[in-house]
Amino acid sequence: MIDEKLLVAQLKNPESQEQAFRNLISLYKERLYWHIRKIVLSHDDADDVLQNTFIKVFKNIHSFKENSKLYSWMYRIATNEAITFINKKAKKQHVDISELQHKMADELQDDHNYSGDEIQQLLQKAIFTLPQKQQLVFNMKYFDEMKYTDMSEVLNTSVGALKASYFHAVKKIEKFLKPY
């Protein structure tokens, strides 16, 4: 298990920062990549957002106050970067977010980096029918198996509200998938 306090101290120390940052990337890049990928869907877009996330982490590590876990702080940055990316993409294409997400879900089957079957694509389409906050909560709980307390740190929302969001998301997904 990683000693986060030591890693943060190394990241904030100019003499150990470079090696500590390499360690940080190797520790967290895969988990952050898959979190981002669930939001932006495309492999190339996820890579871009992941890179932006690590740049932000590097630039802002000195402002990290350590009143949350380092991973939670990074997860929040990754979430915000992914949402910002989606919003910009929708704006550039002159469509609303839900329209963009449906288009992205349809394009998913053509993505050679996506190995999901028909059921997974249907689930992805069902997730895209949810409001953005419910999408995040569902992905974090269902796919990332994140605890509500950790989610609360990342999304700055009460545990009770997160449980309610997850419950509503599951009901909406079940309703969407019922005809299939």
Side-chain angles (χ1 to χ4, degrees):
M1 181 115 172
I2 183 79
D3 182 346
E4 275 199 357
K5 289 211 179 292
L6 177 62
L7 182 58
V8 170
Q10 292 170 338
L11 286 164
K12 290 183 176 184
N13 179 343
E15 291 179 23
S16 58
Q17 187 176 42
E18 195 176 314
Q19 183 57 48
F21 196 68
R22 272 195 222 105
N23 292 343
L24 181 82
I25 290 171
S26 71
L27 279 169
Y28 296 116
K29 75 177 177 195
E30 192 172 330
R31 284 168 61 194
L32 288 173
Y33 167 84
W34 286 109
H35 170 65
I36 292 165
R37 178 86 189 258
K38 284 184 220 81
I39 299 169
V40 301
L41 283 191
S42 152
H43 168 71
D44 292 338
D45 292 345
D47 270 351
D48 290 346
V49 173
L50 181 64
Q51 187 173 1
N52 291 343
T53 298
F54 279 118
I55 289 168
K56 251 196 180 141
V57 167
F58 186 78
K59 285 182 176 179
N60 295 298
I61 192 64
H62 291 288
S63 62
F64 175 56
K65 295 183 180 31
E66 299 180 55
N67 51 4
S68 69
K69 292 180 196 147
L70 176 63
Y71 181 70
S72 298
W73 180 68
M74 291 173 32
Y75 215 91
R76 187 176 321 129
I77 292 171
T79 301
N80 291 338
E81 285 296 305
I83 290 170
T84 299
F85 178 86
I86 289 291
N87 289 336
K88 282 181 183 174
K89 192 171 183 174
K91 196 173 195 173
K92 201 182 285 183
Q93 293 183 17
H94 306 290
V95 295
D96 68 13
I97 302 259
S98 62
E99 197 175 326
L100 175 68
Q101 288 180 320
H102 287 292
K103 184 178 168 191
M104 288 168 33
D106 290 339
E107 291 170 355
L108 197 57
Q109 60 202 29
D110 300 330
D111 184 343
H112 67 278
N113 291 304
Y114 181 76
S115 60
D117 58 19
E118 200 175 326
I119 301 289
Q120 289 170 310
Q121 287 179 341
L122 257 178
L123 177 58
Q124 198 59 59
K125 285 181 181 185
I127 292 168
F128 279 154
T129 65
L130 303 171
Q132 200 165 48
K133 183 91 166 206
Q134 286 180 7
Q135 287 179 32
L136 288 171
V137 172
F138 183 82
N139 283 332
M140 291 173 161
K141 183 73 181 152
Y142 184 80
F143 292 111
D144 300 342
E145 299 175 357
M146 191 180 272
K147 294 179 181 141
Y148 285 113
T149 51
D150 293 338
M151 256 192 272
S152 177
E153 261 184 38
V154 172
L155 298 175
N156 205 15
T157 306
S158 74
V159 168
L162 292 169
K163 286 181 178 179
S165 280
Y166 183 72
F167 174 81
H168 291 300
V170 168
K171 291 293 169 208
K172 288 175 185 175
I173 288 170
E174 285 173 351
K175 186 177 177 183
F176 180 91
L177 295 176
K178 204 169 212 143
Y180 301 98

